[in-house]
Amino acid sequence: MKKPIVLLCLIFPMGMFAQEVKIAYVNTQEVFTAMPEVSTVESQLADMNQKYEAEFKKMQEEYQKKYADFTSQQDSLTENIKLRRMQELEDLRTRIQNFVPVAQEDMQKKGQELYAPIQKKMQDAIKAVGDEKGYAYILNPEILLYKGASSIDATPFVKAKLGLK
């Protein structure tokens, strides 16, 4: 009596391991770039970038004009006015130097803010496909070390879930 119980205890866990674990992969880059929201975000960021570039150019032109005026008039200016204008030029140059990193940081924050809902939507679709198809894991092919012939590409399922072609 003890032998069949021991045998069942040994065989039962093996049966659990014998179950098929379904693993799929999704090309998230392909899905992400196919989403129409991405082009909208890219155009918003391009518009924002153009505004920053226009402002930067305007600041540079202002600096160049003030510098040209200063150099052409510096011999006729009093020492006090000369020092004040030199300080104005230095302040303007500092503003220009500070403008670039601030603009880059703003662009990065805005990009993260605009892309976050799109990424969440894609992640939700991947999770829904995983639940529907019974996948234990869904991987990104960029990190796969080996993809066998029987591997499952879930990219079309995720695209369909998102209504993409």
Side-chain angles (χ1 to χ4, degrees):
M1 179 72 178
K2 289 183 180 179
K3 286 185 181 182
I5 293 175
V6 172
L7 186 60
L8 281 175
C9 289
L10 291 173
I11 293 174
F12 183 68
M14 288 181 177
M16 290 177 61
F17 291 119
Q19 292 178 353
E20 183 180 343
V21 176
K22 292 174 74 176
I23 299 174
Y25 65 92
V26 173
N27 186 337
T28 54
Q29 186 65 32
E30 180 182 330
V31 172
F32 189 75
T33 55
M35 296 175 75
E37 299 95 328
V38 172
S39 61
T40 304
V41 167
E42 287 173 351
S43 83
Q44 288 176 338
L45 291 174
D47 290 346
M48 186 176 176
N49 190 47
Q50 277 184 327
K51 289 176 185 174
Y52 277 125
E53 285 176 359
E55 183 64 23
F56 183 70
K57 185 178 179 183
K58 191 170 141 183
M59 290 170 76
Q60 284 182 318
E61 288 171 354
E62 179 185 358
Y63 179 82
Q64 290 170 352
K65 182 183 180 306
K66 285 187 176 191
Y67 183 76
D69 289 347
F70 173 73
T71 56
S72 67
Q73 298 173 355
Q74 96 180 49
D75 293 336
S76 64
L77 297 174
T78 66
E79 195 61 33
N80 190 23
I81 293 173
K82 193 185 289 188
L83 289 173
R84 188 176 60 87
R85 291 215 181 146
M86 286 172 59
Q87 185 61 46
E88 283 177 15
L89 285 169
E90 184 60 31
D91 291 346
L92 186 53
R93 189 176 65 77
T94 303
R95 274 190 17 228
I96 291 170
Q97 287 177 336
N98 291 338
F99 180 80
V100 173
V102 169
Q104 288 173 339
E105 186 178 323
D106 284 351
M107 289 287 296
Q108 185 178 14
K109 284 180 184 176
K110 188 67 170 178
Q112 289 172 344
E113 175 187 315
L114 293 173
Y115 282 126
I118 299 170
Q119 290 169 333
K120 180 165 180 6
K121 182 178 177 182
M122 181 178 64
Q123 290 298 330
D124 290 345
I126 291 170
K127 183 181 180 328
V129 166
D131 291 343
E132 288 172 10
K133 301 289 184 181
Y135 300 134
Y137 301 100
I138 297 181
L139 307 172
N140 190 335
E142 294 172 5
I143 58 171
L144 286 179
L145 299 176
Y146 173 74
K147 181 171 63 172
S150 64
S151 61
I152 301 166
D153 183 2
T155 304
F157 304 129
V158 173
K159 282 182 160 183
K161 179 62 75 181
L162 291 169
L164 305 172
K165 293 181 181 179

